[in-house]
Amino acid sequence: MKSKWIYKIKWSPLNSGEIDKFKARFIVRGFGLTQGVHYGNSNAATVEAMTVKIFWYLVCVFKLNVRSSDFRSFFLEGDPDHAMYCEQAEGYEQGEKGRFVLLLLKGLYGTPPAPYFAQRKFDAIMKKLGFTKLMNDSRCFMLSDKRGVCIVINHVDDCVYGFNNPAMANELEAAWKKVFTCTIDYKPRTYLSTVIDLDRTAQTVHLSQAHKIQELLKLTGMDQCNSVSTPACISLQRKNEVEALPREQNKTYMTVVGKLIYISSARPDIAYAVNARCRRMSASDENDDLEAKRILRYLQGTATHRLKFDAKIAEPTRFFAYSDASFADAPGAKSTGATTITVGKAKNHSHCNIIAHRSFTQQIPAESAAEAELYSVCETAKSVQHVRNLAAELGLPQREPTTIYTDSNAVIDGLKSPDKARTRHYRRRQWKLRYLIMHRIISIVTVHTDENIADLGTKALGATKHAHFCKKFLAI
């Protein structure tokens, strides 16, 4: 494999204008290798955004201590299971140039299977310490014994762990340091570029993407733009006969949308607008560029808004879900669906601890609004099953069925008598939901559309209604 040096400036996550460090890294150019021929597994699994949110919420509820660990040169610690060679490093050649090569004893950045090798070594350490890898998220580990509880979340080379017995954390860190070079942060303020504000007294935690938003605004030259009150416009006047964006400009559009996808993980209020932009990634035009800039203008005025979790709430470990759909508003006459899963119950839906949200284009066109709503409820039920299984592995089994709120009476009426001729084309979905209801996995309840927070992910809303929903889950 060929090799090269890469030089990079790393910025502080708390202040995008401050340089954290200068890095030089020796890598190999392994992109010419073929999977299945030169190597086998290559990917390092990553933790789900939902699991991260559940983790921080559990820290609030059970008042766990938290530490984080950053593994330096993580990929360099993996042990290859076959021989690999690369060119000598420029400036450090030995012997006749081009005659001698390096035999890799460890993985290097750029070696396709290096992430897999390093993660395999990490998993072996966790197994030796007695941690159980969760089936519903392979990057979440848990150890519960007579000493206490320790939950570890691993995202490639970044770990955060909560515990109620410091001895368990000390043992874990000692085992890591025997193999990896790692830095321990005893009071973590950030994780995965998200700023964490934890208030143990009030039992609240806030997740902020403000620095990421500012970086994106500066990248696009929108850091001095005027703000707007909503990320998507109800009556946007689209230009007719517009041309597709030039190749380079389309690349910029794709970069912006990609960064917005990450930001939306902690900002459910832009989920629909970002989903609408994702539909046009490969064939964007001037209209799409204007709508993407509107999202940036909205973020300019709301950069400091933070996703809030409040543990002082009724039934703090019980999950609830919201489902909604917008009929035939997507390309190809497909509908837009939305799912929102919350934990804890507030009176009159006044506050929502959102642990998962999704705005998506339904895979098949629906023939009626009722069918579109039913499709979304089915997708919500799938997410609910996953959340319940994950919660059970974390020691929080759900004793009661998870309530799914929908603003469609047609869905509930159809479940009462699913054998009507006019609904036979989606009868299987109805019977699936009836099965989940019968086995007390879910229950479906109607809610007024003004309190259905999933409505935020299905369409562009007016400023008043948009702000009404945002106040339920954002610290403004």
Side-chain angles (χ1 to χ4, degrees):
M1 293 179 286
K2 296 185 179 296
S3 64
K4 65 179 292 186
W5 287 98
I6 284 184
Y7 306 96
K8 185 177 181 180
I9 298 175
K10 295 203 73 173
W11 302 90
S12 170
L14 296 177
N15 183 356
S16 59
E18 180 180 341
I19 295 177
D20 185 29
K21 65 180 75 172
F22 296 91
K23 297 187 71 172
R25 178 172 288 153
F26 176 64
I27 70 164
V28 296
R29 307 179 74 180
F31 49 79
L33 303 182
T34 304
Q35 187 172 10
V37 178
H38 301 101
Y39 62 92
N41 293 327
S42 62
N43 296 328
T46 55
V47 68
E48 292 185 29
M50 178 187 68
T51 306
V52 176
K53 294 172 187 174
I54 292 177
F55 170 82
W56 288 111
Y57 181 73
L58 293 180
V59 167
C60 286
V61 173
F62 299 108
K63 300 182 179 180
L64 301 178
N65 298 312
V66 183
R67 297 179 190 173
S68 66
S69 177
D70 180 23
F71 296 93
R72 295 182 180 179
S73 304
F74 181 68
F75 290 177
L76 307 185
E77 302 296 343
D79 299 322
D81 52 13
H82 58 277
M84 295 186 295
Y85 303 89
C86 74
E87 293 179 337
Q88 297 188 59
E90 182 181 357
Y92 296 86
E93 295 90 347
Q94 295 182 14
E96 184 180 345
K97 186 174 181 181
R99 183 177 179 184
F100 295 94
V101 295
L102 301 178
L103 169 64
L104 300 184
L105 302 179
K106 298 284 186 180
L108 276 182
Y109 287 94
T111 309
Y116 171 73
F117 293 153
Q119 196 168 85
R120 182 177 60 183
K121 199 167 190 176
F122 178 89
D123 290 356
I125 295 174
M126 301 301 289
K127 184 178 180 179
K128 188 176 181 180
L129 291 173
F131 280 83
T132 300
K133 183 192 294 188
L134 303 192
M135 294 181 61
N136 290 277
D137 192 335
S138 64
R139 302 325 301 161
C140 183
F141 301 82
M142 184 174 179
L143 175 61
S144 178
D145 57 24
K146 60 183 180 180
R147 296 177 298 169
V149 176
C150 183
I151 303 173
V152 180
I153 289 179
N154 167 243
H155 188 94
V156 190
D157 60 349
D158 291 307
C159 281
V160 64
Y161 40 105
F163 53 91
N164 54 12
N165 185 348
M168 301 178 74
N170 295 336
E171 180 185 0
L172 181 65
E173 293 160 4
W176 284 342
K177 289 179 179 180
K178 288 180 181 179
V179 180
F180 302 104
T181 302
C182 57
T183 303
I184 308 299
D185 188 347
Y186 293 89
K187 293 184 178 180
R189 287 290 313 280
T190 63
Y191 183 64
L192 301 182
S193 299
T194 300
V195 177
I196 313 297
D197 183 9
L198 180 62
D199 188 337
R200 298 186 180 277
T201 304
Q203 286 188 273
T204 61
V205 63
H206 297 85
L207 309 184
S208 173
Q209 293 275 14
H211 63 288
K212 281 290 184 183
I213 293 173
Q214 294 299 336
E215 286 179 6
L216 180 56
L217 292 173
K218 289 181 180 180
L219 175 67
T220 56
M222 300 280 288
D223 51 322
Q224 299 297 326
C225 67
N226 295 325
S227 62
V228 292
S229 56
T230 59
C233 185
I234 296 177
S235 57
L236 180 67
Q237 298 296 322
R238 296 180 64 89
K239 299 178 181 179
N240 296 323
E241 299 180 0
V242 295
E243 296 182 357
L245 293 178
R247 183 181 179 87
E248 289 303 318
Q249 196 172 347
N250 187 58
K251 283 185 177 180
T252 302
Y253 174 86
M254 295 171 69
T255 300
V256 170
V257 175
K259 291 180 178 295
L260 286 173
I261 292 173
Y262 183 78
I263 292 173
S264 68
S265 64
R267 292 294 299 270
D269 50 326
I270 64 171
Y272 168 74
V274 174
N275 172 47
R277 295 306 95 234
C278 290
R279 300 169 184 168
R280 303 282 297 174
M281 290 284 272
S282 60
S284 56
D285 56 29
E286 294 179 20
N287 289 323
D288 301 311
D289 191 47
L290 288 174
E291 293 183 41
K293 287 180 179 178
R294 182 181 178 89
I295 303 176
L296 298 178
R297 292 177 62 195
Y298 171 76
L299 291 175
Q300 165 73 352
T302 61
T304 58
H305 291 186
R306 301 171 297 169
L307 186 63
K308 180 181 179 180
F309 294 96
D310 185 356
K312 290 184 177 180
I313 194 171
E315 301 181 86
T317 58
R318 185 180 173 189
F319 296 99
F320 298 86
Y322 296 81
S323 173
D324 197 18
S326 181
F327 176 58
D329 66 334
K334 295 179 180 179
S335 303
T336 300
T339 293
T340 301
I341 300 179
T342 67
V343 59
K345 185 176 182 180
K347 186 177 180 180
N348 298 326
H349 310 273
S350 59
H351 175 70
C352 298
N353 294 320
I354 297 180
I355 59 165
H357 63 277
R358 180 184 171 211
S359 175
F360 59 94
T361 303
Q362 297 181 357
Q363 295 298 309
I364 58 175
E367 296 184 12
S368 65
E371 184 182 354
E373 294 281 0
L374 182 72
Y375 190 109
S376 287
V377 173
C378 287
E379 292 298 309
T380 303
K382 292 178 186 177
S383 299
V384 165
Q385 287 179 280
H386 175 60
V387 171
R388 288 172 64 93
N389 292 337
L390 179 62
E393 289 192 285
L394 290 171
L396 299 173
Q398 301 294 294
R399 307 297 182 187
E400 300 293 329
T402 299
T403 302
I404 298 178
Y405 293 102
T406 176
D407 54 15
S408 173
N409 289 318
V411 171
I412 296 178
D413 292 341
L415 292 176
K416 293 177 181 178
S417 52
D419 293 323
K420 293 181 179 179
R422 64 185 180 186
T423 63
R424 62 176 178 266
H425 56 291
Y426 55 84
R427 188 179 300 165
R428 285 179 298 176
R429 290 196 178 94
Q430 291 178 323
W431 279 105
K432 173 65 174 179
L433 293 177
R434 284 168 62 92
Y435 174 86
L436 295 176
I437 293 171
M438 184 174 61
H439 287 79
R440 293 180 56 79
I441 296 173
I442 65 170
S443 63
I444 302 178
V445 178
T446 56
V447 67
H448 194 277
T449 186
D450 290 340
E451 302 301 333
N452 187 359
I453 199 169
D455 196 32
L456 198 62
T458 60
K459 63 180 78 70
L461 302 177
T464 302
K465 192 171 184 178
H466 183 85
H468 167 72
F469 283 134
C470 287
K471 289 178 181 178
K472 294 177 181 289
F473 57 85
L474 291 178
I476 299 176

